[in-house]
Amino acid sequence: MRIVLFLLGCCGILFSACVSVDSDTVVKVSVDTMEEQTPAYTLHMEIPSFPDYPELSKAISTTAVRWQNDFLDMTDILPEVGSAARGELVLTWVPAQLSPKCISILLDGYMYTGGANGMPLLASFTWDISLNRFLSIEDLFPEQENVYAYLSDIAREQLSERLCSPEIDPDNIIQGMIKQGTAAEPENFKIFTVPAFGCVTVYFNKYQVAPGYMGVQSIKLWQ
């Protein structure tokens, strides 16, 4: 396996081409880094794009820009509601897999626009290079007749084992959150990455399956 990383700076934007392959196939990546500080907020965003896969890049950019617009809309009204809070938006990306067969990444961020707590931002994108399309979680478990029931059972088992000991959850509050947040519905399993072939990581956002202080949760499955 070869790993090659090229970095080129131009107009404040960081471009990179990454290779982690068993052949001469190259996965090209460019990362647009945005920095802004005003009296009202701080913003730092790193948005990857893949020049050879414009549909993938458009989906990533659309999600990042939507979060940015939501954040700016919220920070605009902070002075109007008498808040002295300073907004913050941080967005980075985590490459779970960049290979000749699959690109799988996680957008990972945090937005604060006042109040006691900020809001985590999570979105995932998994692109099959040979098929030239996005992969759904159904695609990853084709042998399962009811993939969401299958994922629900595994998620409940893993999360309950991790979070629901008598010492942590004496009143079964977390158990109830897990049951609701892992119901066999597509919305509950929409954030996932493929870090290696045969392995899938599913993410559950803050408050989805546990109290906020426990943060984002995840499970691993094998195909």
Side-chain angles (χ1 to χ4, degrees), residues 126-157:
T126 297
W127 185 264
D128 187 301
I129 290 178
S130 63
L131 297 177
N132 198 37
R133 67 170 177 85
F134 286 105
L135 289 178
S136 69
I137 202 160
E138 293 98 325
D139 293 324
L140 302 176
F141 300 93
E143 75 286 355
Q144 296 297 328
E145 184 175 346
N146 189 335
V147 65
Y148 293 106
Y150 170 75
L151 294 171
S152 177
D153 289 344
I154 294 178
R156 289 175 178 179
E157 180 181 356

Side-chain angles (χ1 to χ4, degrees), residues 53-99:
Y53 310 102
E55 186 177 346
L56 169 61
S57 298
K58 182 179 179 180
I60 295 169
S61 176
T62 297
T63 299
V65 169
R66 184 180 75 248
W67 286 340
Q68 181 184 11
N69 289 338
D70 290 346
F71 171 73
L72 294 176
D73 287 344
M74 291 297 295
T75 54
D76 281 345
I77 68 171
L78 287 178
E80 298 176 12
V81 298
S83 173
R86 194 165 188 271
E88 182 179 14
L89 176 62
V90 178
L91 181 64
T92 61
W93 68 292
V94 180
Q97 182 178 170
L98 301 177
S99 81

